């Protein structure tokens, strides 16, 4: 990895993401001027997601950690998703010196443009009070993933290192995600 570039860590839950995970891999390895530690957690897929992930290799700017883990129970966007993210964030936090860098979440169906994380890191650097940042992005068809012009993605975001590493708050399902189940 090139040590000149800013660093960050990402957690990606990957369940039945055979259609998307390669696109995300290509996007992350093509991020401009950013080093990424990418933890992919394949969980309970019924397609060939794990086989695809297994073929990914480290690159100059992308270091991979691939875990296959059964989290049991019914898959849903709230509780189980939060459990997987909690596992991933705690795993990254347990690695030596990883709390010096932002830790983020990037869902497998998010395809960030080449400057996406460079821009988010600049925002964190420019405003030390920020705890979380995200931005607008595009889906695999190249269409801006938005509900309206003010909508930013929550599924591809960074938490500042001071926040994520100094708070014991676990990642929990949001009340709205539980309410719609």
């Amino acid at each position: 990895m090139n040590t000149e570039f800013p660093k960050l860590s990402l957690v990606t839950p990957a369940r039945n993401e055979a259609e998307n995970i390669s696109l995300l891999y290509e996007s992350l390895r093509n991020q401009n001027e950013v080093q990424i530690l990418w933890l992919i957690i394949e969980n309970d897929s019924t397609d060939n997601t794990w086989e695809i992930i297994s073929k990914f290799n480290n690159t100059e700017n992308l270091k991979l950690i691939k875990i296959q883990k059964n989290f049991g129970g019914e898959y849903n966007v709230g509780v189980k998703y939060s459990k997987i993210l909690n596992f991933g964030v705690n795993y990254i936090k347990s690695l030596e010196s990883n709390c010096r860098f932002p830790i983020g979440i990037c869902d497998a169906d998010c395809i960030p443009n080449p400057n996406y994380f460079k821009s988010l890191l600049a925002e964190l650097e420019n405003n030390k009070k920020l705890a979380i940042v995200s931005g607008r992005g595009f889906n695999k068809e190249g269409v801006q993933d938005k509900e309206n012009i003010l909508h930013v993605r929550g599924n591809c975001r960074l938490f500042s290192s001071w926040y994520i590493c100094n708070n014991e708050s676990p990642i929990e399902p949001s009340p709205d995600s539980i309410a719609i189940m």
Side-chain angles (χ1 to χ4, degrees), residues 11-22:
V11 176
T12 297
R15 180 181 185 274
N16 293 336
E17 293 291 353
E19 186 178 317
N20 299 312
I21 198 70
S22 292

Side-chain angles (χ1 to χ4, degrees), residues 13-41:
R15 180 181 185 274
N16 293 336
E17 293 291 353
E19 186 178 317
N20 299 312
I21 198 70
S22 292
L23 296 170
L24 178 57
Y25 172 70
E26 288 302 317
S27 173
L28 294 180
R29 63 185 219 108
N30 289 308
Q31 288 295 302
N32 290 325
E33 300 176 34
V34 178
Q35 287 185 8
I36 300 171
L37 171 64
W38 187 25
L39 173 59
I40 310 167
I41 306 168

Side-chain angles (χ1 to χ4, degrees), residues 14 18 25 43 53 59 85 89 93 97 102 104 112-113 119 124 126 131-132 134 146 149-150 170 173 180:
Y25 172 70
N43 56 93
I53 292 168
T59 66
L85 289 177
V89 168
K93 286 168 61 172
S97 56
N113 68 42
S119 298
L124 287 174
N126 291 333
I132 183 172
S134 63
K146 61 179 180 164
I149 198 64
L150 299 176
I180 61 171

Side-chain angles (χ1 to χ4, degrees), residues 165-181:
C165 295
N166 294 315
N167 289 296
E168 294 301 317
S169 302
I171 296 171
E172 296 288 348
S174 65
D176 58 338
S177 68
I178 293 173
I180 61 171
M181 288 184 202

Side-chain angles (χ1 to χ4, degrees), residues 113-155:
N113 68 42
N115 290 311
Y116 187 82
F117 289 108
K118 180 180 175 183
S119 298
L120 295 186
L121 288 168
E123 286 299 317
L124 287 174
E125 183 62 32
N126 291 333
N127 186 345
K128 301 290 187 189
K129 293 182 180 181
L130 284 176
I132 183 172
V133 292
S134 63
R136 291 190 184 95
F138 297 87
N139 64 22
K140 64 185 175 191
E141 287 84 26
V143 176
Q144 189 171 2
D145 63 358
K146 61 179 180 164
E147 293 171 10
N148 63 53
I149 198 64
L150 299 176
H151 179 76
V152 294
R153 57 171 48 168
N155 52 2

